[in-house]
Amino acid sequence: MKGKISKGVISLAVALLLFSSIGAIAKPGEGIKFGQLTLSPFLNIQGTWDSNVFLTEEDETDDFFLDIVPGIAFLNKTERLIISGRGWGQFRRYLDETSLDSDSYGEKFGLVWGEEERLTLAVNQKYIHLTDYEIEPRGVDTLNLSAQNLMLAEDRTERVERDMLDVGAVVEYHVSEKFQVDVGYSYGSVEYETNSLFDWHENRGQVELRHKITDKTSALINGQYSEQTSDGYTNDSTYYIVRGGFLFEATKKTAVKASAGVESYDFGNTTPLGEDLSEDLFSYDITASWQATEKILVEAMGKNGMQPAAQYVANTKEVTLASLGASYDITKSWILSLAGSWRYDDYRGKVEDPNDGSLRFKHRELYGGRLRLDY
């Protein structure tokens, strides 16, 4: 393990020298202004050391990879309306495992309308075509704190060429100074380029009631309903979630949001062995951020949930995720971050063992760490 870590550190040191020379000609500017519209061409450069690039349970392989991400962003801001978006290309190159080299592209759009202390509408859309990890995985859910800096392994896809689309809308209504209602809808789809995996889609609606107990603490009640459609299913799967919890916000960057409750999952299908995988299970979702100093931000998250198993006909799995990470703002342009993540996939239906053809329950546990430098 010592050899792996030193290799990653050496690679990052080389990247630092490379980025320093690039930085001399790539200073970020204020964009090109057309009235209230600002266009901002950008070039992001990121170096990452990954302790487990092949996502294996044993004999992990570490490597360093470089991301070069050119693109253009726009922002149009008025007193009650903010519209923003960006499009980008991503070129990822590995130091040793060059078979993992990949190119991808994507775009995202956001809109916020209304009055912050009364009624607001937020709409977000994101599309990305990729083969490897996302640079910024999706947030925990429509109404929760984002966890982008944690660099989690994706919770809903396999690592092959794929197209991912997310659309979400949230209405936030302040009924009074102490009571708030949030209503959200989200749609997500994963479409694989290979026929060996099943595409799947999800429509989810949720409502969150928030009652302020103190200036910094609120009690929460969250309800969700979802329909999941998979090419490997005959019928849709559905679930209901009811959770209670709290939100503590010391500042905008120091906060904890946690909720726990019950998920009632209706599989809606039978496996090839005739199994009905419907069940009730414990459900939780936790995110936290802590602004330790002016330059250091610490973030953590944990959650679980049911979703279709893309590799198998009529099968499902519970995915459990946890991650802890910290970022350090070296300067306004340079950010160093370190994160560790753990993922456990528990397949509910029996699958065939590729070695002897026997039927068995399948579990997959993945964990790893990443050290990353962004410019």
Side-chain angles (χ1 to χ4, degrees), residues 11-12 14-16 18-19 22 44-49 63-69 90-96 100-103 132 135 373-375:
S11 298
L12 275 175
V14 173
L16 268 170
L18 173 63
F19 293 175
I22 296 175
N44 293 339
I45 302 175
Q46 303 165 342
T48 303
W49 172 76
D63 200 3
F64 169 85
F65 59 83
L66 179 70
D67 283 314
I68 299 177
V69 186
Q90 176 187 334
F91 306 93
R92 176 168 295 177
R93 297 296 180 264
Y94 281 80
L95 184 64
D96 294 326
L100 297 177
D101 290 352
S102 64
D103 301 330
D132 206 356
I135 292 179
L373 181 67
D374 290 62
Y375 173 79

Side-chain angles (χ1 to χ4, degrees), residues 59-324:
D59 301 322
E60 299 93 340
T61 300
D62 77 307
D63 200 3
F64 169 85
F65 59 83
L66 179 70
D67 283 314
I68 299 177
V69 186
I72 186 167
F74 73 87
L75 174 66
N76 191 88
K77 186 175 182 181
T78 66
E79 185 176 343
R80 299 190 62 183
L81 178 65
I82 300 174
I83 301 176
S84 62
R86 62 172 50 200
W88 68 89
Q90 176 187 334
F91 306 93
R92 176 168 295 177
R93 297 296 180 264
Y94 281 80
L95 184 64
D96 294 326
E97 305 298 335
T98 56
S99 63
L100 297 177
D101 290 352
S102 64
D103 301 330
S104 66
Y105 53 87
E107 54 81 19
K108 62 181 179 180
F109 170 84
L111 177 152
V112 179
W113 173 87
E115 300 177 10
E116 185 176 352
E117 299 302 323
R118 187 58 177 171
L119 176 68
T120 59
L121 167 66
V123 178
N124 292 283
Q125 176 270 337
K126 179 180 179 181
Y127 164 79
I128 186 169
H129 175 92
L130 74 166
T131 301
D132 206 356
Y133 300 111
E134 277 194 84
I135 292 179
E136 297 180 347
R138 66 173 181 170
V140 177
D141 66 51
T142 310
L143 304 183
N144 215 334
L145 300 170
S146 64
Q148 293 182 346
N149 290 335
L150 294 177
M151 299 171 290
L152 292 169
E154 287 178 26
D155 63 337
R156 57 175 175 158
T157 70
E158 300 303 316
R159 193 181 183 186
V160 299
E161 190 173 1
R162 58 201 183 276
D163 292 287
M164 298 168 58
L165 173 66
D166 288 296
V167 181
V170 179
V171 175
E172 182 180 293
Y173 178 54
H174 294 258
V175 181
S176 65
E177 291 184 0
K178 291 190 174 183
F179 187 59
Q180 178 179 327
V181 179
D182 295 344
V183 180
Y185 164 79
S186 62
Y187 169 80
S189 68
V190 181
E191 297 186 353
Y192 298 101
E193 293 295 318
T194 175
N195 292 326
S196 62
L197 296 173
F198 296 107
D199 302 341
W200 68 281
H201 313 261
E202 180 177 22
N203 286 279
R204 177 171 56 183
Q206 52 184 329
V207 177
E208 186 170 273
L209 307 179
R210 183 182 305 183
H211 178 70
K212 184 173 289 188
I213 301 172
T214 68
D215 289 342
K216 297 180 180 180
T217 307
S218 299
L220 306 174
I221 297 177
N222 182 283
Q224 300 182 27
Y225 172 76
S226 171
E227 293 182 350
Q228 296 176 337
T229 303
S230 169
D231 288 351
Y233 289 175
T234 302
N235 303 306
D236 293 348
S237 292
T238 61
Y239 66 74
Y240 296 90
I241 294 178
V242 178
R243 292 195 296 248
F246 70 92
L247 170 65
F248 174 76
E249 293 180 294
T251 66
K252 287 187 177 181
K253 290 190 176 182
T254 298
V256 178
K257 186 176 185 180
S259 62
V262 177
E263 176 176 346
S264 180
Y265 179 74
D266 182 1
F267 184 48
N269 301 271
T270 56
T271 70
L273 298 176
E275 304 166 289
D276 181 2
L277 305 181
S278 302
E279 63 174 297
D280 296 330
L281 65 152
F282 177 69
S283 173
Y284 65 92
D285 195 343
I286 303 169
T287 58
S289 61
W290 173 43
Q291 189 75 52
T293 69
E294 185 179 347
K295 292 180 174 290
I296 298 176
L297 177 65
V298 181
E299 294 182 289
M301 68 82 68
K303 73 166 186 171
N304 70 329
M306 300 292 289
Q307 67 182 46
Q311 306 97 318
Y312 304 105
V313 174
N315 203 340
T316 189
K317 62 183 178 180
E318 179 187 5
V319 178
T320 305
L321 288 170
S323 187
L324 175 65

